[in-house]
Amino acid sequence: MPQNTQQSGGQPSLLGLRSAIVLVFGVLTGIGAGLLTYLAQRSVPAALLAAGAGFGAGVLFFHTIIS
């Protein structure tokens, strides 16, 4: 059961540490996929689609392996 972490002001934090790490790694995966796709095809729409897919896949992957 996840615990509510407290900030210094006594209010619960908006996002837990594990969730923040998973999302950051997902964003980095999406940026990498989008950048590599743009460099290969020089197409912004294709790069954005690849970045979105990379983000989703990265979040699912890191959610699974980070405990």
Side-chain angles (χ1 to χ4, degrees):
M1 191 66 40
Q3 298 176 353
N4 288 339
T5 56
Q6 297 288 323
Q7 292 179 344
S8 60
Q11 298 177 354
S13 64
L14 182 63
L15 195 63
L17 180 62
R18 180 181 177 276
S19 298
I21 290 172
V22 167
L23 289 176
V24 166
F25 284 165
V27 166
L28 291 175
T29 303
I31 289 172
L35 180 64
L36 289 174
T37 302
Y38 180 76
L39 291 175
Q41 297 183 0
R42 300 288 183 200
S43 170
V44 173
L48 289 175
L49 285 172
F55 172 77
V59 167
L60 287 174
F61 175 73
F62 291 115
H63 172 69
T64 302
I65 67 167
I66 296 176
S67 57

